[in-house]
């Protein structure tokens, strides 16, 4: 695998590779203008493929290796400096569904831009378009929630920190949902942390504007995927209804409630450093199978307090329609007084109203035109946001219980530079004369999945 240390994209010098995903490579970089660090995600141009749990590690590797190779060529040909135009963020944000058909990889960026004003969502600073890929320049965060939970054991004694982090995640998701964006890939690897333990949601690669999704579409990471996306009973499926564990469902499943399920699993991760099952599929996973027979099994396999069990059993409802609302989850977590049945998390203070407000409603989450992010309540070295949002969350006609096209209802002024896509662009010129370097970076994704696997309660243990 080639690394591009010291190569430059406009004013950003790449310092290391920090991520490798299904359709993107993420680099750490320094802006020579202000010495600030950024993360630059290179997204393959024209990738329209739906990224799903069915994608194996090999495929991920092949895709990123291909992109890596193309980037190497790009840097080589441009003598290690790539000069590339910056695309107007407003015109990306206002892209429509038909634009995504031409430029599918812009959907991730467009949906992300519609919500990045929230304080707990990663801020996009710039989008650069090169001949072979699109570079998303984002604020850089030093760690992710997986590393923090598993490697650093950062939460095992600190119930208040769990509350803060969890409420910030809820707040970010709630904001997305209010703006008609459903993340669909909520997992600890997609939640970044700053030095003050503030959380930032990233990776909108699977996000959608569809209020309802078809069942069994199988997108995301299997640990966090709700059962209706993977394991509804095909045999019992009639033309207009599906069943999940015998519950009749309308043929479409609420996207919002899918994200909610993932949140429930993250709450277990934070409090127990475990995953309850590998996959919410009762034909493939014994733990999940026994859970569907008797939810109190959760208390046998995890050290849950009665209060947390009660909350989890309302979140992890197999029938998505029966799940507790996100707002109620937040209130419950705020007031809960024990997470576990023993140890340091068995006593947790309830949050005062003002602290709850601070974590759950950190910024202006009400308006159509959002004010810049404000970093008010923590010591924060982050610079002020100078982007602005030009589009609103149109009151899209939500075609409920009908198959929906993904989004496509937002409108906005289109640019004049590229009549095909409506994207405005501007050019920043720079120069660089450093050489490429080569080195190996482990595939972090697979390492993390492996670690959680190791920590996961053996799927067969309940049968013993
Ligand atoms: N802004 C950022 N700051 C620091 N690290 C980041 C940032 N954005 C992404 N990363 C790191 O890069 C990893 C991959 O990023 P991202 O999830 O956006 O890519 P992806 O190609 O969609 O990955 P996947 O296929 O695993 O979902 C993240 O898990 C995180 O560790």
């Amino acid at each position: 695998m080639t690394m591009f240390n010291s190569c430059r994209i406009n004013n950003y010098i790449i310092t290391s590779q920090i991520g490798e995903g299904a359709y993107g490579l993420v680099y750490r970089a320094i802006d020579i203008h202000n010495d600030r660090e950024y993360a630059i995600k290179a997204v393959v141009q024209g990738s329209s493929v739906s990224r799903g749990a069915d994608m194996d590690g090999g495929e991920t590797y092949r895709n990123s290796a291909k992109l890596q190779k193309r980037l190497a060529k790009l840097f080589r040909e441009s003598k290690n400096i790539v000069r590339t135009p910056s695309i107007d963020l407003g015109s990306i944000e206002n892209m429509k569904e038909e634009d995504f058909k031409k430029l599918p990889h812009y959907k991730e960026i467009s949906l992300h831009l519609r919500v990045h004003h929230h304080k707990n969502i990663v801020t996009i600073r710039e989008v650069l378009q090169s001949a072979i890929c699109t570079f998303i320049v984002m604020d850089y965060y030093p760690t992710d929630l997986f590393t923090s939970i598993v490697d650093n054991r950062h939460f095992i004694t600190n119930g208040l920190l769990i509350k803060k982090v969890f409420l910030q995640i809820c707040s970010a998701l709630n904001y997305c949902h209010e703006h008609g964006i459903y993340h669909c890939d909520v997992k600890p690897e997609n939640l970044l942390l700053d030095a003050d333990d503030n959380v930032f949601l990233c990776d909108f690669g699977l996000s959608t504007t569809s209020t309802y999704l078809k069942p069994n579409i199988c997108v995301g990471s299997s640990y966090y995927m709700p059962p209706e996306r993977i394991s509804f009973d095909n045999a019992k499926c009639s033309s207009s209804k599906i069943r999940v564990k015998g519950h009749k469902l309308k043929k479409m499943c609420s996207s919002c409630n899918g994200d909610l399920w993932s949140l429930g699993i993250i709450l277990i991760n934070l409090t127990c450093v475990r995953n309850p099952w590998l996959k919410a599929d009762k034909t493939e996973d014994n733990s999940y199978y026994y859970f569907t027979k008797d939810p109190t099994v959760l208390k046998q396999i995890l050290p849950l307090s009665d209060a947390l069990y009660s909350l989890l059993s309302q979140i992890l409802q197999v029938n998505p329609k029966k799940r507790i609302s996100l707002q109620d989850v937040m209130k419950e977590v705020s007031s809960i007084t024990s997470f576990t049945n023993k140890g340091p998390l068995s006593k947790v203070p309830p949050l005062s109203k003002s602290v709850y407000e601070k974590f759950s409603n950190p910024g202006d989450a009400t308006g159509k035109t959002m004010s810049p992010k404000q970093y008010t309540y923590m010591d924060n070295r982050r610079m002020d946001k100078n982007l602005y949002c030009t589009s609103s969350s149109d009151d899209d006609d939500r075609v409920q219980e009908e198959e929906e096209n993904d989004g496509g209802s937002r409108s906005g002024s289109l640019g004049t530079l590229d009549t095909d896509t409506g994207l405005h662009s501007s050019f920043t010129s720079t120069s660089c004369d450093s050489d490429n370097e080569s080195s190996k970076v482990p595939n972090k994704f697979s390492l993390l999945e492996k670690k959680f696997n190791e920590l996961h309660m053996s799927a067969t243990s309940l049968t013993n």
Side-chain angles (χ1 to χ4, degrees):
M1 196 186 306
T2 316
M3 282 281 288
F4 306 114
N5 292 1
S6 306
C7 287
R8 204 160 127 181
I9 305 162
N10 292 356
N11 44 308
Y12 304 101
I13 298 179
I14 294 176
T15 52
S16 62
Q17 184 178 321
I18 48 177
E20 177 176 0
Y23 285 93
L25 292 163
V26 187
Y27 299 97
R28 189 171 168 178
I30 288 186
D31 183 347
I32 52 167
H33 292 154
N34 57 19
D35 276 347
R36 289 197 172 104
E37 285 204 291
Y38 292 94
I40 302 182
K41 181 172 178 175
V43 188
V44 184
Q45 205 148 299
S47 67
S48 57
V49 206
S50 65
R51 305 179 305 165
D54 46 344
M55 176 181 286
D56 61 24
E59 198 171 343
T60 299
Y61 175 76
R62 278 191 297 281
N63 282 319
S64 50
K66 214 176 344 178
L67 176 57
Q68 192 86 267
K69 234 168 137 181
R70 287 160 134 201
L71 277 173
K73 189 162 175 266
L74 185 69
F75 279 120
R76 206 169 43 245
E77 286 174 355
S78 53
K79 297 198 169 67
N80 294 335
I81 172 152
V82 172
R83 294 189 189 98
T84 184
S86 175
I87 309 294
D88 175 72
L89 297 182
S91 58
I92 302 174
E93 187 182 337
N94 288 324
M95 283 173 83
K96 299 177 185 171
E97 191 61 25
E98 54 259 39
D99 302 320
F100 299 144
K101 283 183 187 137
K102 289 179 206 147
L103 290 169
H105 63 297
Y106 267 89
K107 182 176 176 182
E108 163 178 1
I109 311 170
S110 181
L111 269 52
H112 188 164
L113 281 170
R114 293 175 202 181
V115 290
H116 79 149
H117 301 271
H118 189 278
K119 205 165 163 184
N120 300 111
I121 296 178
V122 168
T123 302
I124 295 179
R125 294 290 169 189
E126 226 185 331
V127 174
L128 307 169
Q129 182 60 56
S130 80
I132 57 148
C133 68
T134 304
F135 298 106
I136 311 168
V137 182
M138 298 168 278
D139 281 352
Y140 170 77
Y141 301 95
T143 190
D144 63 69
L145 188 60
F146 183 95
T147 310
S148 194
I149 294 173
V150 177
D151 293 346
N152 305 344
R153 304 272 158 158
H154 196 47
F155 300 94
I156 54 172
T157 57
N158 196 340
L160 270 182
L161 190 57
I162 292 176
K163 287 193 176 193
K164 171 187 162 177
V165 161
F166 187 77
L167 288 174
Q168 287 188 343
I169 300 168
C170 290
S171 173
L173 270 182
N174 193 40
Y175 185 78
C176 292
H177 294 174
E178 281 175 353
H179 286 72
I181 309 288
Y182 307 96
H183 191 277
C184 299
D185 197 15
V186 184
K187 58 181 179 181
E189 294 90 325
N190 288 339
L191 291 157
L192 308 174
L193 290 168
D194 70 8
D196 298 315
D197 294 317
N198 293 303
V199 183
F200 300 86
L201 178 64
C202 74
D203 191 5
F204 284 72
L206 294 180
S207 63
T208 179
T209 52
S210 293
T211 321
Y212 289 83
L213 291 172
K214 281 186 202 169
N216 219 10
I217 55 168
C218 223
V219 289
S221 162
S222 71
Y223 301 99
Y224 302 90
M225 220 188 287
E228 66 272 17
R229 296 227 179 110
I230 34 178
S231 62
F232 74 92
D233 191 343
N234 256 322
K236 292 178 182 163
C237 181
S238 72
S239 60
S240 63
K241 309 266 193 211
I242 60 159
R243 285 164 189 267
V244 172
K245 197 198 155 203
H247 298 282
K248 280 187 184 176
L249 298 174
K250 295 275 166 52
K251 67 177 175 180
M252 307 300 278
C253 300
S254 152
S255 315
C256 154
N257 289 350
D259 281 347
L260 200 60
W261 177 280
S262 311
L263 268 180
I265 306 294
I266 286 175
L267 188 53
I268 293 176
N269 295 160
L270 281 166
T271 51
C272 305
V273 199
R274 297 263 280 279
N275 271 327
W277 40 73
L278 298 171
K279 198 175 187 181
D281 181 349
K282 59 184 180 177
T283 62
E284 285 186 24
D285 190 296
N286 281 340
S287 297
Y288 181 70
Y289 169 77
Y290 284 102
F291 168 76
T292 61
K293 295 260 171 226
D294 174 11
T296 62
V297 152
L298 270 188
K299 286 185 74 173
Q300 293 167 38
I301 61 174
L302 301 166
L304 304 175
S305 66
D306 288 343
L308 184 55
Y309 167 73
S310 162
L311 174 58
L312 286 170
S313 57
Q314 296 174 75
I315 303 173
L316 301 175
Q317 281 286 326
V318 176
N319 181 346
K321 288 168 74 181
K322 290 194 173 171
R323 282 173 210 152
I324 184 176
S325 73
L326 185 47
Q327 288 75 15
D328 286 343
V329 171
M330 291 164 86
K331 283 183 203 137
E332 295 272 336
V333 167
S334 168
S335 58
I336 206 164
T337 51
S338 68
F339 283 127
T340 54
N341 55 17
K342 55 178 187 286
L345 298 181
S346 59
K347 278 202 170 60
V348 194
L351 299 185
S352 67
K353 195 163 179 277
S354 62
V355 175
Y356 171 70
E357 285 291 320
K358 204 162 67 174
F359 296 152
S360 61
N361 190 17
D364 178 5
T366 54
K368 293 188 170 186
T369 46
M370 300 300 303
S371 54
K373 277 188 186 180
Q374 291 156 8
Y375 299 101
T376 49
Y377 64 91
M378 289 282 170
D379 168 35
N380 204 307
R381 294 168 292 281
R382 218 172 293 283
M383 68 176 182
D384 277 340
K385 197 172 165 65
N386 54 12
L387 302 174
Y388 63 95
C389 174
T390 54
S391 85
S392 62
S393 63
D394 300 339
D395 290 327
D396 302 341
D397 288 340
R398 301 253 155 73
V399 188
Q400 302 200 347
E401 294 151 25
E402 289 289 329
E403 279 195 22
E404 283 180 319
N405 278 331
D406 217 1
S409 53
R410 282 163 207 282
S411 60
S413 62
L414 292 183
T416 49
L417 290 185
D418 185 335
T419 48
D420 239 17
T421 63
L423 299 178
H424 299 256
S425 58
S426 60
F427 209 88
T428 325
S429 108
T430 42
S431 67
C432 178
D433 50 19
S434 45
D435 293 329
N436 284 347
E437 281 176 22
S438 297
S439 76
K440 277 214 156 215
V441 167
N443 182 342
K444 195 179 174 203
F445 176 80
S446 54
L447 284 180
L448 296 177
E449 293 282 313
K450 191 167 166 275
K451 277 218 162 162
F452 247 149
N453 254 332
E454 286 161 7
L455 285 160
H456 169 76
M457 171 111 190
S458 158
T460 56
S461 60
L462 285 168
T463 57
N464 295 334

